[in-house]
Amino acid sequence: MAGISFNPKKVKRMAYFSDPQAKDIWKARWLGEGVQALVERYRQSPFRFYEVWTEERNQGTRLKALEEFKREHPDKAGNIDPSPHKPKRRVTTRAINDDRQQELIL
């Protein structure tokens, strides 16, 4: 991830976020807080934030956070994109037991 400095020694054990934390992370995103600031605050890997933003974890927190955000920041609620994060790159993997692998060795 370009522009994100990640020091594993400063990070807590890779635990998942609770639903209240996930809602706060959604609201921070909509307020324009950067990933690096969130990494510093929560002491978690940047990948954990993307698990929330892609809704891989903590499903349903985005909609709850959006309702809270509309109440807390009615002036900003119309100017945000409340949709989940859509990765620009897709990592594809293939099975290790791929028969084509044997062809490379022989």
Side-chain angles (χ1 to χ4, degrees):
M1 286 184 266
I4 297 175
S5 62
F6 172 61
N7 184 348
K9 292 179 182 175
K10 291 185 175 181
V11 172
K12 291 181 190 174
R13 187 178 127 280
M14 296 269 291
Y16 297 114
F17 290 114
S18 66
D19 283 354
Q21 287 174 321
K23 288 192 301 187
D24 289 341
I25 290 166
W26 275 110
K27 290 188 267 187
R29 176 185 176 153
W30 296 326
L31 289 171
E33 195 166 341
V35 175
Q36 186 60 43
L38 292 170
V39 167
E40 290 295 320
R41 184 189 322 162
Y42 289 98
R43 300 279 182 218
Q44 289 289 346
S45 164
F47 299 105
R48 291 290 181 229
F49 298 97
Y50 286 98
E51 286 176 346
V52 172
W53 292 330
T54 58
E55 296 187 311
E56 184 179 325
R57 296 272 177 193
N58 304 92
Q59 288 97 5
T61 56
R62 178 178 57 92
L63 296 176
K64 291 175 187 172
L66 182 58
E67 292 305 314
E68 289 179 16
F69 190 81
K70 287 177 181 178
R71 283 193 308 274
E72 296 167 6
H73 304 282
D75 54 324
K76 297 179 182 175
N79 298 327
I80 63 165
D81 178 10
S83 62
H85 174 72
K86 303 263 189 293
K88 293 179 181 156
R89 297 182 203 144
R90 177 167 278 247
V91 177
T92 57
T93 57
R94 62 186 171 124
I96 295 174
N97 297 331
D98 191 349
D99 291 336
R100 293 177 292 168
Q101 184 90 18
Q102 197 67 4
E103 294 171 8
L104 295 173
I105 296 171
L106 300 175

